[in-house]
Each structure stands twice: as structure tokens, then as C-alpha cells.
Amino acid sequence: MYAVKTTVSLPDSNQASLVRKKADVQNRSKISRLVLPAVTLVWLGMIGIGMAWMWQYEVTPGEATTTVMSWPTGSQIERSLERPTLVLFAHPRCPCTRATIRELALIVARCPDLVDIQMLFFRPTGFSAEWEKTDLWSSAEAIPGVTVVCDVDGTEAKRFKATTSGYSLLYNTDGRLLFHGGITGSRGHSGDNVGRSAIESLLRDGETNQNQNALVFGCPLLGQEDVCGTECRK
Amino acid sequence: MNSIFTAHPTLEEDVSQRAENLFQENRTRIFQRTDRLFVGLLLLQWVAGIIAAIWISPQTWAGAYSETHLHVWSAIFLGGLITFFPVSLVLICPGTTLTRHVIAISQMLTAALLIHLSGGRIETHFHIFGSLAFLACYRDWRVLISATIVVTLDHYIRGVFYPQSVFGILTASSWRVFEHAGWVIFEDVFLLITISQSLKEMRAAARHRAALERTNEIVEAEVKSRTDDLVLQAKELKISRERALAADRSKSEFLANMSHEIRTPMTAILGFTDLLLEKVEEKESVEAVRTVKHNGEYLMNLINDILDLSKIEAGKIEKEEIDCSVLEVVSDVVSLMRVRAAAKGFPLDVRFDGPIPEKIQSDPTRLRQILINIVGNAIKFTETGSVQIVTRLLNNTEEEPKLQFEIIDSGIGIPEHSIEKLFSAFTQADNSTTRQFGGTGLGLTISKRLVELLGGDISIESNVGKGSTFSVTVSTGPLKNVQLMHNVTVACIKTVDVKLPDDTVLPLDQRRVLLVEDGPDNQRLIGFVLKKAGAEVTLADNGQIGCELATAAKSKGHPFDVILMDMQMPILDGYAATQRLRETGYTQPIIALTAHAMASDRQKCIDAGCNDYATKPIDQKKLIKLVASYIDVPTEV
């Protein structure tokens, strides 16, 4: 009897086990069919958010300041009396300024001998004398007609109200402001932009239909002294 | 090959189904392999992105204050997000459609990220084209569509809202998006054509392989079917062969048993005939007894031949491999056969051609039997002329050394067509030969089998009316340390002179012999022979009685001088009786008596505890000599 009972019950239990396993597999398959695409959508959404965040960072301009409409009287920078003078303030370690120098090179190439360019690299007080001599300094120095000088502690920047690296000011021979703003379209991005177009028009034609107050994209030039620790002073 | 399948719709369907399966299996393998390739590429791109970010824009500055640039964090975390989801999918579900498309999307997003990180460098756009080419490794056009849609959407969104990041200008025409998308589609077209061609080739290869597999299956099935048939036939053949062999063995065993049964009474007949010959004096009676003896001997020879043949055929024949003297063997043969030749009026010559080994490794009994048989035949079929035995060593360095005996006669010769039949059992050259010369026709058959057993062969050359030459070769065994005899002549042969025994001497005078023998005729015959030699004979019908008698005699302090023990007896056979006696410490000589004549039988008797061994039918003189040799000789067992 026992043997018969065993032989009869075993197939049933096996069959039930098989049915359960099959159902489990089907359920799991159904879940994976739904879950993975859902996870994929979430993944795409997160990437979208990340991209947007980066985008936001790149198109956010530097701090806008009041404009110095005429050449500051106490400035130590030599202004040309024969042709317009372009003054460009830069942070020597700002990666975004690399694009600004590329745009500056284009201006020089397109408007040869039409402008006198003074580029000032900021060096905070207490930093070594060579701190500002970065690849940006070398790149700027390599552009013909560009005079590169060090702006210790941002003295000149403060005079010209420059707060963002890449801030450019174009003055005529009389010391009147023709243009001020950035010469890149976004942070670290080279390419055609309003600022460069305006400067080129002013130099070539003496006038421009472009906006003469372009946004500046770059690192804060002077920063905040109180947040700078000793670690920065290398 | 395809025409075969198209002619059979079922086969065609099978092949198509198999081809489709193979194609899909191959595609799955390609998908999985390409997934793995992209895992490596995605990880490499992620690391490269981080390095590029650290290289180009490691820090962002605010005056004298610096912190890690956002691009570095983006490369690590956003790049990681883009990379690790498809990598995880490859690990979880490699080869699936979702994995492929996620990889395609991820690859395009990586391109977008790299463009961002490189500051919108136009050169970074080449990453898109490279990625599309790489995605074509999947050989799945849908993947290219996913990738193209992502590229187009990315360019469209950025082209509308942030054109400088993708086109390098702040104000771009909305058509520029389509121009960029157009270039991507331009590449897609080439890739799609390549994928299409590749898929066609894969399908063709799958179809070809499926057809090949199907053909192999058909061939294998056919081979298996035929092999099964062959196996079946082989089994049937094996069964038939086993049956035939079993029948043959039964026949041989029957013959052996019957021969043994015949030999036993023949022993008595011949023995008593000898006794009668010694007693009868009347001429007619002597003639009658001699006729009985002659026919008895003929019958005995016939039985011996049959016994030998049946043993050979039953595979029970054994050979010894002991050192034996060639000269002794030849001498024995010549001694025996010279009388017969002389009786017919011609000589039996012996010649040794070249050096002869002093001894060879062989079975002397069988060698002697072979030579006696062939020389006997030569003498039988020769009326005039001579019979010559030529012995030579065939010591070819390339082959095993052999000894050759040529038996040359000047007899009637054998027709060529009859030579082949000579070695068949019960066959002579022709029936008239049997009638004229007598004989069973077994001699050459046995000789041939024995020669083969001794590692040689027999060949015949014959001219009808002029004579025959039988050439017998036997293996000599290794001759490395064997001395070769040069210039051996007939003078070296020692022929045995048969001396009549001196009847006046009683070699077993007053000796007590226990004869343990179940056959009453043999009891009488052997008892008579022993008594004639002067012995006191006590009879025992079986081994058990023999043991009791021997033990009793020993306990009385008057043991038997010798026990002659038949080995095949009822109740307790000779082997068991001997063992029992030896176990009780019986040390007197025990000589075995048996109708079996093989060396292994002798060894079996010795192993049982016997001192020596005598065969039936008994040779009266040999038996007496053997028994006498054990009288007064202390036994050590």
C-alpha cells in the first residue's frame, strides 16, 4: 500500500512543482519585461538631468557689474593714442578663458594693426611671482600685438570693475568706452559670438549693430579673499 | 545537394527550420560578443573622459580660491551613469534587444558628453561616426536607428537652445540640425548596406551548414542501419561459430573419451597377448596370437592417432620447450626406422649438411613423433632405392633460426593435385593408396599440426614415379650460447641395440608392491607382470582402500616397498589418495599410472606427491625397471 501510495503521489507533486516553477519563470519574465524598460527610462531621465545641469553651468554668465565708461585716470595701463585699446582681464588658471584667448587670436587675425591689446592676468597677493605664468599666459603672449601683464591683487581689475575672467573692454583713442563684455558664447566654448563680432565691427567699421554689452562666461576673477585658504597659495 | 531537399518538401522544411535556428544562434553569439566588446569600449571611454576632464579643466577658480571643476564631476558621475547601466545589462541579459539599444543610446550619449567636456570641439563629433561604425558590428540595422535618433534629438535640442555647443555658433539655422543628421544618415546607408549583405551571407552559410548537417544525418542513419545489419550478422555468425566450435569440441571430447575407453581394454589385450606369446609353443597358436597382437597394435596406433588429432583439434595439446639433443632425436628415429627399411631391402641414410647445434629448445617427444611418422611414410611408399634424412640449420640472420629435416625417398611419388589433400584428416593421395598401403591418413595431418606447434612447417616436392622430398622445419629457440657441431657424420649417431632381458633375474624379488587399480583386467595384467618380476603384489580397488592398506602396513612396521597408483579411480582417485598419504607422513615411493601422456599430467602427478610416472598401455620392461629403480632408494617428498 505504502509503495502504491508513494508512486501515485510523486508524479503529482512533481507536476505541481513543475507548474509552480513554470509560473515563477513566467512571472519573472513578465517583471523583467516591464522593469528593465522602466529602469531604462529612469536612466535616460537621470542623464537628461545631468546634461541639463552641465548645460546650465555652461550658459550661466559671470557677475554683471557697473560699467567704467571712460578710461580710469589712475590706471597704470598704457592706452594707445593712435588706435583703440582692448583691455582683457583673465584669471591665469580659469579653463574657460582658454576659449577667450582663442577668440582673441581670431580678432587679432581678422583686424591686424587695428587695435592695441593689453591682457592682464590676475595674481592674488601672497602668491609667488610665477603663479600667473600658465599655459594661458603663454598662449596670450604668443598672439602678435598682445601685451601681457600681471595684475597683482587685481588692482587694475578693480579699477575697470572687472569681476569675471574674460571680461573685455574696448576704448577709443580718447578713452571712451566702445564695448565691454565677454568674447565667448558660453563657458569654455569657442565659436562665433556677439562679443567678438561687435569688437571686429567696431575695429573695422568704427561702428556695430551688435549688442555692445555681451555676457561674460568665465571664473570669478577676484573671488572672495576670505574663502581662500593657505592651500590656494601655491 | 539542395535539389535533393527541394524534391522532398519535408526535408526542405527541416533544413529551412534548422537553417533559421543556426542563423539565430549565430546572431545571438554575435550580439553577445559585440556586447562584450562594447563593455570594454564604454569603460575605456569613461576613463578617457575622466582623464580628459582632469587634463583640460581640472579646477574652477574664484580669485585665489579653487575647487574641482564641474567637468571632472560630470565625467565621473554622469559618465559613470551613462556607462554602467549598459554594462550591467550586458552582465544581466547579454545579447538581448534592450541591451543592444541601450548600448547604442549610451554610446551616442557618451559622444554628447565628450563634446561637452572638450568644449564643443568639432573634432569630437567624429566620435559619433566611429561609434556608428562600431555599432554596425551587431549586424542589426535597428541599433543604428536608435543611435541615429539619439544623435538627431541631441543635435536638435542643442541646435535650437544652445547651438554653440554643437555647431560652434550662437545663431544657427534650424536646417543645420538636418544637415548634421543627414551626414549621420549618409554613413548609416553604407552601414545598412553592409549589414544587409552580411546577413545574407550569414543566412547562406546557415543554410549550407543545415543542408550539410542534414546530409550527414542521412548518411549516418544509413551507415548506422547498415552497421546494425552487419553487427546483427556478425552476432549471428558468432553464435553459429560458437555452436560449431562447441559441436567440434564435443566431438573432440567424445573422441578423446572414447579413445581412452578403448585404450584401457587394449592395454589388457596387448599385455596378455605378450604373455601368451611367451607361453604358447604350438606354431599355429603362435601365429594366431601374433595376428591378434599385430591387429591390436594397428588398432592401438589408430586410436593413438585419433587421440592426438582430437587433442589437437580440442586445443588441448601442449608442448614442452626443453633442451634436447638433435643427434639423440635423429638417433632414436634411425634406430627405430632402420629395421623397417632393412626389412624392405633398402638403406636408411643420414646426412648432416653444415653445422648442427648441439641442442635446441623444443619438444623432443613431438619432434621424434613427427620424424618417425614422415620417415615411416617414406619407407612405406618406397619399394626400391633409398630413404635419406638430411639435417641442416637454417640460420638466416633476418629470421628466427630453424632446423630443417629433409626426408628424401625414391618412392612412388605424389601427383601434384593430391599434395594439398595430404594434410587433410582421413585423406591420402587417393583411395587406392589406402587399399594398397593401408594407414589411416591421419599421420601427416597430425605431423603438420605438431610441426606448426613447434614453430615450423612442412613442405613437399614430389615427382610421380621418382620420389618425394618432405621438408620439415622446426624452431630451434635462441642459439646464442649454443655450440655448433661441424662435420657431423653418420658415425656420430648412436643406434640403440635392443637387448633381450635376462629372464633369470628377478629384479623385484621379495619386494612388496601395492597395486591400486580399479580395472580388473589391468589388475591381473600388471599384477602378473610384477609377480613375474618376483614381487609380492597386494591389490586395492580404489584410492581409499589403497590408503587404508598402505597406512596399515606402515603401522605394522612392514610398509610396501612401492605403491603403483592409478590416477583415475572411483570413490577416491589417485591424486587425492596420494595427497592423503603424504599428509599422514607416508614416505615410501608412489608411482603414478595413467593413460594420459602429457607433460602437464606428469607434473600434476608429481604435484600430488607421486615420485614418478608411468603411462598406459604399460611397457612391461620399462615398468619393472622403473619400479626397481625405487626399491631401496630412500624417498624424499
Side-chain angles (χ1 to χ4, degrees), chain B residues 534-591:
Chain B
E536 291 176 18
V537 180
T538 305
L539 292 172
D541 288 341
N542 56 56
Q544 191 168 334
I545 297 169
C547 281
E548 287 167 3
L549 289 172
T551 311
K554 189 187 172 191
S555 62
K556 285 176 187 171
H558 195 44
F560 293 105
D561 293 300
V562 171
I563 298 175
L564 282 175
M565 183 77 79
D566 185 23
M567 303 314 277
Q568 285 180 309
M569 287 181 293
I571 302 176
L572 188 68
D573 66 19
Y575 300 106
T578 307
Q579 277 174 349
R580 189 182 290 182
L581 282 170
R582 294 303 186 202
E583 280 166 11
T584 58
Y586 192 86
T587 55
Q588 292 300 112
I590 301 173
I591 297 171

Side-chain angles (χ1 to χ4, degrees), chain A:
Chain A
M1 276 304 282
Y2 177 75
V4 171
K5 201 175 174 182
T6 309
T7 50
V8 170
S9 63
L10 263 176
D12 285 348
S13 63
N14 280 344
Q15 204 170 354
S17 167
L18 280 174
V19 168
R20 268 201 306 278
K21 275 183 187 171
K22 202 174 174 183
D24 284 351
V25 170
Q26 281 175 346
N27 287 338
R28 246 181 276 152
S29 169
K30 209 179 282 179
I31 289 165
S32 66
R33 272 207 302 272
L34 294 172
V35 168
L36 287 176
V39 172
T40 305
L41 288 175
V42 172
W43 173 67
L44 284 171
M46 287 169 74
I47 290 169
I49 291 166
M51 289 284 192
W53 181 42
M54 271 184 72
W55 192 346
Q56 181 62 36
Y57 171 79
E58 284 167 4
V59 297
T60 302
E63 184 189 352
T65 58
T66 52
T67 313
V68 180
M69 296 305 292
S70 56
W71 190 269
T73 49
S75 174
Q76 299 297 310
I77 304 167
E78 192 180 339
R79 176 166 54 84
S80 174
L81 300 174
E82 294 171 357
R83 50 192 176 187
T85 301
L86 178 64
V87 183
L88 205 151
F89 293 92
H91 192 290
R93 303 199 173 209
C94 169
C96 319
T97 305
R98 206 166 278 123
T100 301
I101 293 172
R102 280 199 293 271
E103 295 304 307
L104 179 66
L106 277 178
I107 292 170
V108 172
R110 289 175 186 177
C111 309
D113 302 327
L114 294 179
V115 64
D116 191 37
I117 301 169
Q118 299 284 338
M119 189 155 183
L120 290 89
F121 278 97
F122 166 72
R123 185 177 83 203
T125 311
F127 282 73
S128 65
E130 296 297 311
W131 184 81
E132 74 279 8
K133 301 286 176 65
T134 62
D135 65 312
L136 294 179
W137 178 288
S138 305
S139 299
E141 212 172 28
I143 301 170
V146 175
T147 305
V148 181
V149 290
C150 178
D151 181 18
V152 180
D153 203 26
T155 312
E156 292 295 335
K158 286 170 189 165
R159 270 195 196 108
F160 283 88
K161 307 287 184 193
T163 55
T164 305
S165 180
Y167 184 62
S168 309
L169 300 106
L170 182 66
Y171 289 92
N172 65 7
T173 51
D174 298 331
R176 189 173 58 86
L177 183 68
L178 298 176
F179 169 85
H180 69 105
I183 56 172
T184 60
S186 59
R187 290 190 76 152
H189 279 268
S190 303
D192 294 346
N193 63 84
V194 176
R196 175 162 58 81
S197 300
I199 290 170
E200 284 174 3
S201 298
L202 286 166
L203 292 176
R204 279 199 301 264
D205 308 327
E207 57 181 6
T208 181
N209 55 2
Q210 299 284 343
N211 189 348
Q212 293 176 16
N213 185 13
L215 296 172
V216 188
F217 297 95
C219 296
L221 186 62
L222 303 176
Q224 297 166 349
E225 282 294 326
D226 56 343
V227 296
C228 181
T230 51
E231 203 177 317
C232 310
R233 300 172 188 275
K234 293 174 184 172

Side-chain angles (χ1 to χ4, degrees), chain B residues 186-455:
Chain B
F186 177 72
E187 185 185 359
D188 282 348
V189 169
F190 289 101
L191 295 175
L192 290 173
I193 291 168
T194 308
I195 289 169
S196 170
Q197 284 176 345
S198 177
L199 290 177
K200 272 184 194 168
E201 286 168 8
M202 280 169 63
R203 280 193 188 282
R207 166 85 193 176
H208 184 70
R209 190 177 154 193
L212 205 62
E213 281 181 1
R214 190 67 185 127
T215 308
N216 282 344
E217 280 170 14
I218 292 167
V219 171
E220 276 173 16
E222 185 65 26
V223 169
K224 190 175 180 304
S225 164
R226 290 186 186 181
T227 307
D228 289 346
D229 288 347
L230 283 172
V231 168
L232 196 65
Q233 284 174 10
K235 274 184 188 170
E236 285 169 0
L237 277 174
K238 193 180 174 190
I239 291 166
S240 303
R241 186 172 173 272
E242 280 169 2
R243 281 179 187 160
L245 286 173
D248 198 44
R249 273 196 299 274
S250 298
K251 181 202 76 179
S252 298
E253 282 167 15
F254 174 76
L255 274 175
N257 287 336
M258 285 306 293
S259 299
H260 184 263
E261 290 304 313
I262 295 166
R263 277 164 71 97
T264 307
M266 284 306 297
T267 304
I269 292 168
L270 289 173
F272 282 110
T273 307
D274 283 339
L275 294 177
L276 276 175
L277 273 174
E278 289 174 11
K279 291 200 172 179
V280 294
E281 291 176 355
E282 195 180 337
K283 192 181 175 185
E284 285 181 359
S285 299
V286 169
E287 195 61 36
V289 173
R290 279 186 179 159
T291 306
V292 170
K293 187 184 177 189
H294 174 71
N295 283 285
E297 283 172 347
Y298 174 78
L299 197 54
M300 201 65 207
N301 286 336
L302 177 62
I303 289 162
N304 284 340
D305 282 353
I306 290 172
L307 189 60
D308 274 347
L309 189 64
S310 63
K311 274 185 179 173
I312 290 168
E313 289 187 345
K316 289 181 178 174
I317 197 142
E318 292 170 13
K319 67 162 182 173
E320 288 181 314
E321 271 197 15
I322 55 172
D323 286 347
C324 60
S325 162
V326 180
L327 283 182
E328 268 183 33
V329 172
V330 174
S331 298
D332 290 349
V333 174
V334 172
S335 298
L336 200 65
M337 306 311 290
R338 188 170 274 168
V339 183
R340 280 201 214 174
K344 292 189 79 173
F346 55 81
L348 174 60
D349 298 327
V350 180
R351 184 161 64 82
F352 293 94
D353 186 8
I356 302 295
E358 190 181 14
K359 58 186 177 182
I360 60 170
Q361 286 267 318
S362 191
D363 186 332
T365 310
R366 295 299 176 193
L367 182 56
R368 203 176 287 117
Q369 184 181 351
I370 294 161
L371 293 176
I372 287 171
N373 195 298
I374 292 172
V375 174
N377 271 349
I379 293 169
K380 187 198 286 186
F381 294 105
T382 302
E383 293 304 324
T384 57
S386 68
V387 172
Q388 189 180 30
I389 303 171
V390 180
T391 308
R392 66 171 65 89
L393 176 67
L394 304 177
N395 198 3
N396 188 338
T397 51
E398 291 175 3
E399 292 175 11
E400 186 189 12
K402 289 191 174 169
L403 199 63
Q404 186 187 51
F405 301 94
E406 276 187 348
I407 295 93
I408 307 161
D409 68 55
S410 56
I412 59 172
I414 308 158
E416 197 175 338
H417 64 270
S418 301
I419 287 177
E420 283 182 11
K421 292 195 290 182
L422 279 180
F423 297 108
S424 303
F426 307 104
T427 306
Q428 288 185 330
D430 56 56
N431 291 334
S432 62
T433 312
T434 312
R435 286 194 295 274
Q436 189 182 346
F437 296 97
T440 59
L442 290 175
L444 280 177
T445 308
I446 293 166
S447 296
K448 182 169 173 62
R449 303 283 181 91
L450 291 177
V451 165
E452 285 167 357
L453 196 68
L454 300 184

Side-chain angles (χ1 to χ4, degrees), chain B residues 102-121:
Chain B
V102 167
I103 284 174
I105 293 166
S106 169
Q107 191 60 24
M108 292 303 128
L109 292 175
T110 302
L113 178 65
L114 290 175
I115 291 169
H116 264 291
L117 295 178
S118 67
R121 279 168 65 86

Side-chain angles (χ1 to χ4, degrees), chain B residues 492-513:
Chain B
C492 302
I493 295 178
K494 297 171 192 168
T495 50
V496 179
D497 292 327
V498 181
K499 289 181 182 172
L500 290 172
D502 185 356
D503 289 343
T504 58
V505 179
L506 296 175
L508 303 180
D509 190 27
Q510 300 297 313
R511 299 299 182 183
R512 298 181 69 239
V513 178

Side-chain angles (χ1 to χ4, degrees), chain B residues 104-105 108-109 145-155:
Chain B
I105 293 166
M108 292 303 128
L109 292 175
I145 300 300
S146 296
T148 305
I149 288 171
V150 171
V151 170
T152 308
L153 275 176
D154 176 63
H155 277 57

